[in-house]
Amino acid sequence: MAQLKRIKPTTIFVSLALCFGIIAAIIMPVASAPDETYHFNNSFNIFFENEAMTKNLSKTSSQQTLLGAKDLFAIRNTNIAGSADDLYKTSLTRKVTQLKHSRFRLSLNRQNLIHLPQALGILIAYFIYPSYGLMFIFGRLCNLFFYTGLIYVAIKKSAFGKLPIALIALLPISIQQAASLSYDTSLFASVFLVFSLMTNIWKNNFKISRKWWLYLPLILLGLYLTKKSALIMLALIFTVPVTFFRNQKLKKALEAVWNFCNKYKWLVGVGLIMGSFLVFRFLFTNYGGFMRWLHIMFNTYFVTWINTNLDPIVVSGMVGSFGALTYRLPEWLIILTFVVMSWIMLSDEKIKLDNRVVFISSCIFIFNILITGTMMYKGWTGGVGNVSIGEQGRYYTPFLIFLLPLFMKLSESIKLEIKPWHREVLTFTISFINLFLFVVLTVLFWFTKG
């Protein structure tokens, strides 16, 4: 316990992420995480040219296969306990003849650049022993190291919110994705790095300088390469404090704008409602218009007897719904995790934030959910039916950090006393329990018989 009093958020994160991430990368069978077949194919294609793989990649992501591995199916029959056992051994020992004679070449574009960390691991494993099992494990490990390094930087450089970042980045679903071939690592890293940067701006640790000519293109590149949902973070430009700028005329102009918004909050609210109406009406032009959108969103997020995925996949998935959404943490532990997360956020460092920081950060979390649900209805669901199907909680997990300003605002009215080292012990404990159970359930689900 005495050691935990001195433990840093970065130490908590790195130690648990690497310990359980490495275990997960090894014990998860081939293509057992969501969309891993698609991610493997794109990763392999960065460094290798193969005619069969080129044809494979021309198919939709759901139609792609692992070449020459029909028996190495990604999702086991859940009625047959331990059906991954023999497949796991075969995936490690059998060479992939269809990929063995590929030609080496480098091909980078927007689609596969976000698979580069995984591709490096696959490249190394290919030259050691070209089996799916080894290529998956090495690719996953490189992806995990990439994730761990970037999140470490986000926590280290954050002006506040270090423990909330560590806790969210250590949620079992976060570690499963980091220890898989998924490009979710790029999304998670972008969200946390941008939030970490904004904490310094909100706290007035930074002022605009020539360095920002480098920072801004890198930020925009990161958002461009990840999922489109990351672009919603561009709204953070409206949270930049006036003191961030050096030009006096610009300062006065911005002060006038924000003073007007503070004086006429109702007008800002009306503008936001009308703007949202126009955006979602436009997105649903061919699907029945705004009222139809409102109906579908209500069914999706409130009517549980229509959207049976809401609790087990969307809500639980923000913490831990694993494999091909076939097993998850118990609901009581998921609820406890959200309680602890709220407690950690409420007890974070007391920083006076502008109301617009609180408002816009909260809107980013909410609108990310609504836009994702809308686009999933148009794409995955096919634009038919009365509910949006296809969302997974992991789409929203990293954006949980944008609720921190709201909790910091609430803490001004809620008296909550907790010692800093208690917060660290609490973060370590809940993360350890969640990750330990994730590993245990993974072994039980895939490898136990009877």
Side-chain angles (χ1 to χ4, degrees):
M1 189 64 72
Q3 292 296 322
L4 285 175
K5 289 184 179 182
R6 297 190 298 272
I7 197 168
K8 298 178 181 179
T10 49
T11 305
I12 294 173
F13 170 73
V14 172
S15 59
L16 292 180
L18 289 181
C19 175
F20 289 100
I22 290 172
I23 294 172
I26 295 172
I27 65 173
M28 289 192 298
V30 165
S32 59
D35 304 319
E36 267 201 306
T37 295
Y38 166 78
H39 295 307
F40 174 85
N41 292 339
N42 276 276
S43 300
F44 185 88
N45 194 55
I46 292 178
F47 291 117
F48 296 101
E49 186 175 25
N50 181 287
E51 185 177 347
M53 180 62 80
T54 301
K55 293 180 180 179
N56 197 23
L57 283 166
S58 65
K59 303 175 183 177
T60 62
S61 59
S62 59
Q63 293 176 331
Q64 290 181 23
T65 61
L66 290 179
L67 297 177
K70 291 182 179 180
D71 53 337
L72 295 176
F73 49 81
I75 305 170
R76 76 167 193 174
N77 182 347
T78 55
N79 294 319
I80 305 175
S83 63
D85 196 7
D86 294 334
L87 298 178
Y88 184 85
K89 297 173 184 176
T90 305
S91 70
L92 284 169
T93 57
R94 190 180 67 196
K95 292 182 178 180
V96 187
T97 55
Q98 281 83 348
L99 301 180
K100 191 176 178 181
H101 303 293
S102 302
R103 288 196 306 166
F104 180 80
R105 62 99 168 88
L106 180 63
S107 174
L108 290 176
N109 53 49
R110 180 186 179 276
Q111 181 63 30
N112 60 26
L113 189 59
I114 53 178
H115 288 99
L116 186 57
Q118 305 91 307
L120 290 171
I122 291 171
L123 175 67
I124 295 169
Y126 180 86
F127 287 118
I128 295 174
Y129 188 85
S131 69
Y132 275 124
L134 199 64
M135 287 189 286
F136 266 76
I137 289 174
F138 272 61
R140 288 167 172 175
L141 290 175
C142 284
N143 203 25
L144 174 67
F145 298 149
F146 171 75
Y147 173 81
T148 305
L150 290 182
I151 303 302
Y152 170 85
V153 172
I155 297 171
K156 181 80 172 178
K157 297 297 184 181
S158 182
F160 57 87
K162 294 178 183 291
L163 277 178
I165 293 175
L167 178 57
I168 296 170
L170 283 171
L171 291 176
I173 191 62
S174 305
I175 298 302
Q176 177 194 261
Q177 295 308 106
S180 72
L181 299 182
S182 174
Y183 58 51
D184 280 356
T185 49
S186 299
L187 173 64
F188 279 55
S190 295
V191 172
F192 289 125
L193 286 169
V194 168
F195 183 83
S196 177
L197 176 66
M198 293 307 300
T199 62
N200 287 277
I201 294 175
W202 295 332
K203 201 177 178 181
N204 290 320
N205 287 351
F206 290 162
K207 291 186 182 296
I208 196 166
S209 64
R210 291 181 180 178
K211 291 181 180 179
W212 286 93
W213 292 107
L214 175 63
Y215 293 160
L216 289 176
L218 287 176
I219 292 170
L220 293 174
L221 177 63
L223 298 183
Y224 171 73
L225 290 176
T226 55
K227 293 183 178 180
K228 293 178 181 178
S229 57
L231 295 175
I232 198 170
M233 290 189 292
L234 292 176
L236 291 171
I237 194 171
F238 297 111
T239 69
V240 175
V242 175
T243 53
F244 179 74
F245 303 97
R246 293 181 176 179
N247 186 289
Q248 294 301 319
K249 291 183 178 179
L250 180 60
K251 279 186 177 182
K252 289 182 179 179
L254 289 173
E255 284 177 352
V257 170
W258 297 131
N259 288 335
F260 176 84
C261 292
N262 287 331
K263 186 176 181 180
Y264 299 100
K265 293 184 178 68
W266 63 270
L267 191 60
V268 175
V270 171
L272 180 64
I273 293 172
M274 291 303 299
S276 302
F277 167 79
L278 292 174
V279 167
F280 290 114
R281 184 177 183 275
F282 171 76
L283 291 175
F284 252 59
T285 300
N286 299 323
Y287 300 93
F290 180 77
M291 294 306 296
R292 176 66 175 163
W293 171 84
L294 201 63
H295 177 210
I296 290 169
M297 290 301 104
F298 181 81
N299 286 348
T300 300
Y301 298 112
F302 293 98
V303 187
T304 54
W305 60 88
I306 296 180
N307 185 10
T308 54
N309 290 336
L310 182 60
D311 294 329
I313 293 178
V314 179
V315 178
S316 297
M318 282 192 280
V319 176
S321 183
F322 310 120
L325 310 177
T326 42
Y327 64 105
R328 60 189 176 111
L329 293 180
E331 209 148 321
W332 63 265
L333 186 55
I334 291 171
I335 294 171
L336 180 61
T337 301
F338 280 122
V339 170
V340 171
M341 190 186 305
S342 301
W343 196 1
I344 295 298
M345 287 186 175
L346 282 170
S347 59
D348 206 78
E349 184 181 352
K350 307 301 179 187
I351 303 294
K352 186 67 176 178
L353 298 176
D354 291 338
N355 288 334
R356 69 175 181 273
V357 173
V358 177
F359 178 73
I360 292 174
S361 297
S362 302
C363 284
I364 285 175
F365 179 75
I366 295 170
F367 276 85
N368 173 56
I369 294 175
L370 294 176
I371 290 174
T372 301
T374 302
M375 301 312 293
M376 292 302 291
Y377 180 80
K378 295 174 63 177
W380 185 268
T381 313
V384 295
N386 293 319
V387 65
S388 177
I389 301 295
E391 297 116 292
Q392 298 175 30
R394 62 189 172 94
Y395 301 159
Y396 313 131
T397 299
F399 291 95
L400 286 167
I401 194 61
F402 283 102
L403 294 177
L404 178 59
L406 174 61
F407 277 90
M408 294 175 70
K409 186 69 174 179
L410 292 174
S411 69
E412 296 176 5
S413 304
I414 300 173
K415 302 300 179 182
L416 182 64
E417 298 294 334
I418 179 172
K419 295 179 180 179
W421 71 275
H422 283 162
R423 299 177 71 243
E424 292 164 1
V425 170
L426 198 58
T427 301
F428 178 88
T429 302
I430 193 66
S431 298
F432 181 87
I433 292 171
N434 279 337
L435 290 170
F436 179 77
L437 191 55
F438 160 51
V439 168
V440 170
L441 291 176
T442 299
V443 172
L444 291 175
F445 181 81
W446 290 110
F447 300 107
T448 57
K449 297 183 178 181

